[in-house]
Amino acid sequence: MDDLRGAGLNFVFDPASGALYGEVKPRNDSAPIDEAWLRQHFADLGYATFRFVPSGILQLLSHYNSGMAVSGLKVAAAIDASFVVTISPDQLEATLTIQPPEGGAPVRKDAVLADIVAKGVQFGLQHEAIADAVARCSADRLTIARGMNAVDGVNGRLESLIPNHRSRAPKVDVAGHTDYRDLGEIRTVHAGDYLMRRHRPTPGTQGMTVRGEAILPKPGKETPFAPNLKGVEIAADDPDLLLAAVSGQPVEVKNGMIVEPTYSLVDVDMTTGNIEFDGSVIVKGDIKAGMRIKATGDIAIGGMAEPSILEAGGDISIKGGAIGTLGKSEGGDCHIRCGGSFSASYVQQVKIDAGDSVFVDDMAMQSHITAANHVKVGHRKRGHITGGHIQATLSVSAKVIGSTSRTTTRIEVGVDPSTHKILLAVAQRRNLAENKMLEASKRLAFATKNPGKVRPEMIEQENAHYEQFSQEIVELRAFEEQLSKRIELSLDAHVVAEQQIFEGVEVVLGKRAYRVRGENGPSIVGLKADRLTLSPYRRESH
């Protein structure tokens, strides 16, 4: 019976159309066939790679098995290979996709190359990859040409040439990770000393699309020295070198460095009188009771400070201690205010206001201390906070807080409520600057589209306004981010007692308060589930 399968079934291939046609001439002795047999029969006839027409196959089987004649029924076709060359939207890559033939002709290399040329691809061609894909007659988004992106230039930068120079920037990071700073002398420089080198921006490297079109890089921005830097000068033979013009203390500021003159004394007493100096003051000995020092730079005291007033634009460091009476007797107050950090061996009944952080090595007794960032008491010595009022935005830490006599000690952490108002004001200023910059850009666009209708000096003025508003927006956004981060971090503000904390200590964060009960070992007081709680403190976990 198998020998009679396919009896009366014939196929005709039309080379012009590439189609394979089937015909059925019924015979009474033919045996039924199915699709599996038919496909094997196609393979035996050399048509296995053809693309079959399912509807034609079904009709052929139906006619044959029911003994019905039919002719000119399209059952398969010879399909030539096809290909497509695609260029990416950024024109940095060209890819090749080849659909293999199904019984038809393979793809020709000359046709592929002709299409590549027609699409303008000329840079970064990978000839071996093209030849290999054509030989295999198969490719799926194969990269056949790769452009070269432009490399933007590097912005200019300023490099300090003074090791261990002081900076007006905060010296403690916002997360509170810092080592205790050793107290040391103020570094000084002399006229002609190298202070800072300016590194020019780079222009960047030009790129190229696969079509051979140049991609221009964004050149780096200049970082000029700030104008009106005090105590410095540009080297006569090198416009990128900043030199000291006077002797004094080098202090890094935004876009440059200044040299603050230093005024050095042995002691400050009735013989010297009060000191007010535009620069930094170094006192090798002591500050006697009732005296006052006011400096725009730093104040460094080698001895101790009796009840006195100290004001500095930078840091204040006292190798000894500071003693006052906090208003208990006339002329006995010791008030200390600095824009940077304050550090001393010990403080007793002293009022301190620091723009950055406060570091005390031994004891802080019955003192009022306010710091924008951190208060840390204890390093090599005892590290006790006893009594007084301590306030810091991010953290207060000591080895021991309070005393066995339950001395009232109030500690406040978290941001000042005014910080939120400042953030809102900064956002409003930024919105105003953005609107002004948008208006300037519209006027510049009008001048570009209408050459000759706007005077050159007006265009120059608008460009200057645009740059001014752009720089202002960058600075305001950075300040907004800094304030927002400070507000966010303040929720993690905490108080740490590395060894002990006693009853009588009260911790306040905003409207929340926690009063310590009893005597506790190493502890941390912080916000948990919107409440201040006391938990065991482990140094390695914080």
Side-chain angles (χ1 to χ4, degrees):
M1 181 75 76
D2 285 344
D3 293 337
L4 298 176
R5 295 177 75 177
L9 180 63
N10 297 301
F11 297 98
V12 177
F13 177 67
D14 178 17
S17 64
L20 181 67
Y21 297 97
E23 63 176 9
V24 176
K25 296 179 179 179
R27 286 178 45 176
N28 294 330
D29 58 349
S30 63
I33 60 175
D34 55 21
E35 184 175 348
W37 181 90
L38 187 59
R39 288 184 178 273
Q40 181 60 49
H41 188 59
F42 281 146
D44 295 340
L45 296 175
Y47 303 132
T49 58
F50 279 37
R51 180 184 294 176
F52 298 113
V53 179
S55 59
I57 296 290
L58 289 175
Q59 290 184 57
L60 184 69
L61 291 172
S62 175
H63 279 76
Y64 182 85
N65 290 327
S66 60
M68 297 173 59
V70 66
S71 63
L73 189 62
K74 186 177 179 179
V75 294
I79 306 298
D80 293 341
S82 62
F83 69 90
V84 59
V85 174
T86 304
I87 299 175
S88 63
D90 60 8
Q91 300 192 45
L92 288 173
E93 183 183 37
T95 58
L96 172 64
T97 297
I98 298 177
Q99 204 66 34
E102 296 178 79
V107 70
R108 301 194 322 273
K109 183 178 180 180
D110 59 342
V112 173
L113 293 177
D115 192 54
I116 290 173
V117 171
K119 286 186 167 64
V121 179
Q122 56 181 284
F123 179 81
L125 279 169
Q126 300 180 10
H127 295 281
E128 290 186 6
I130 296 171
D132 181 63
V134 171
R136 290 184 291 104
C137 211
S138 175
D140 183 15
R141 290 176 292 183
L142 174 71
T143 298
I144 57 170
R146 192 179 297 279
M148 181 174 65
N149 210 346
V151 179
D152 289 341
V154 177
N155 290 340
R157 63 184 179 88
L158 301 178
E159 176 192 8
S160 172
L161 304 179
I162 302 293
N164 303 320
H165 66 275
R166 296 199 175 201
S167 172
R168 289 289 182 253
K171 301 163 189 64
V172 183
D173 66 33
V174 291
H177 300 140
T178 183
D179 291 329
Y180 190 90
R181 297 180 305 133
D182 289 331
L183 305 182
E185 297 292 337
I186 293 178
R187 181 181 178 87
T188 59
V189 295
H190 302 284
D193 286 351
Y194 291 2
L195 300 179
M196 183 170 279
R197 175 163 292 282
R198 174 174 59 174
H199 294 274
R200 297 282 182 168
T202 61
T205 304
Q206 179 176 289
M208 189 74 69
T209 70
V210 294
R211 287 193 167 108
E213 298 165 344
I215 303 175
L216 298 180
K218 183 180 178 181
K221 293 182 179 180
E222 284 279 2
T223 303
F225 288 122
N228 304 321
L229 295 172
K230 295 181 180 180
V232 300
E233 61 184 4
I234 302 295
D237 58 347
D238 188 347
D240 295 321
L241 181 62
L242 196 65
L243 305 177
V246 297
S247 295
Q249 178 196 206
V251 178
E252 187 172 351
V253 295
K254 183 178 180 180
N255 282 12
M257 190 173 288
I258 62 175
V259 175
E260 294 179 336
T262 55
Y263 183 42
S264 183
L265 308 92
V266 176
D267 295 306
V268 175
D269 52 24
M270 295 297 291
T271 62
T272 64
N274 293 329
I275 305 297
E276 186 167 342
F277 187 65
D278 185 9
S280 297
V281 175
I282 302 175
V283 180
K284 296 179 181 179
D286 303 327
I287 310 297
K288 300 301 182 181
M291 304 309 297
R292 181 168 68 91
I293 300 178
K294 184 176 182 180
T296 58
D298 298 332
I299 297 176
I301 300 169
M304 65 171 293
E306 296 179 3
S308 53
I309 296 176
L310 306 177
E311 296 181 42
D315 298 340
I316 294 179
S317 61
I318 305 175
K319 281 195 172 180
I323 298 177
T325 59
L326 278 181
K328 291 184 178 179
S329 64
E330 187 176 348
D333 286 351
C334 187
H335 288 184
I336 297 171
R337 182 182 297 107
C338 60
S341 292
F342 170 83
S343 55
S345 179
Y346 67 90
V347 294
Q348 180 176 336
Q349 294 192 352
V350 176
K351 185 175 182 179
I352 302 169
D353 188 348
D356 188 348
S357 298
V358 171
F359 303 94
V360 178
D361 197 8
D362 190 11
M363 297 280 289
M365 299 178 59
Q366 297 294 348
S367 295
H368 287 192
I369 301 174
T370 301
N373 287 324
H374 308 273
V375 172
K376 180 174 177 60
V377 180
H379 178 47
R380 296 187 179 92
K381 297 183 180 179
R382 287 174 292 180
H384 287 203
I385 294 177
T386 305
H389 184 181
I390 314 297
Q391 184 176 5
T393 302
L394 301 178
S395 73
V396 174
S397 62
K399 293 180 181 178
V400 178
I401 302 178
S403 67
T404 54
S405 60
R406 302 180 181 178
T407 304
T408 300
T409 307
R410 181 180 174 88
I411 299 177
E412 294 184 30
V413 290
V415 296
D416 189 299
S418 63
T419 304
H420 294 276
K421 294 182 181 179
I422 296 173
L423 179 60
L424 178 60
V426 171
Q428 291 173 341
R429 283 181 56 194
R430 175 180 53 77
N431 287 334
L432 180 61
E434 287 176 343
N435 289 333
K436 289 182 178 179
M437 187 176 74
L438 179 60
E439 292 171 4
S441 67
K442 289 180 179 178
R443 289 191 288 268
L444 288 171
F446 175 82
T448 302
K449 293 179 181 178
N450 301 275
K453 290 189 176 182
V454 182
R455 297 195 308 274
E457 60 269 22
M458 294 298 294
I459 296 176
E460 184 177 347
Q461 182 179 351
E462 289 298 339
N463 275 316
H465 286 162
Y466 185 90
E467 290 298 325
Q468 175 189 339
F469 296 139
S470 177
Q471 181 62 31
E472 183 179 355
I473 290 167
V474 169
E475 293 175 358
L476 288 173
R477 281 178 177 167
F479 190 34
E480 274 187 277
E481 184 177 349
Q482 179 184 348
L483 289 175
S484 298
K485 185 175 292 185
R486 178 173 291 276
I487 291 172
E488 181 181 352
L489 287 171
S490 71
L491 297 177
D492 191 39
H494 54 272
V495 176
V496 171
E498 297 178 1
Q499 296 176 0
Q500 289 177 299
I501 188 169
F502 294 92
E503 188 166 343
V505 174
E506 181 183 25
V507 177
V508 177
L509 194 160
K511 296 181 179 180
R512 308 170 187 85
Y514 180 85
R515 291 178 174 83
V516 177
R517 303 298 181 190
E519 180 179 334
N520 302 270
S523 303
I524 179 170
V525 180
L527 199 61
K528 288 186 178 180
D530 204 39
R531 294 179 57 192
L532 283 175
T533 59
L534 183 146
S535 308
Y537 172 73
R538 291 182 294 275
R539 182 185 297 272
E540 64 276 6
S541 66
H542 195 80

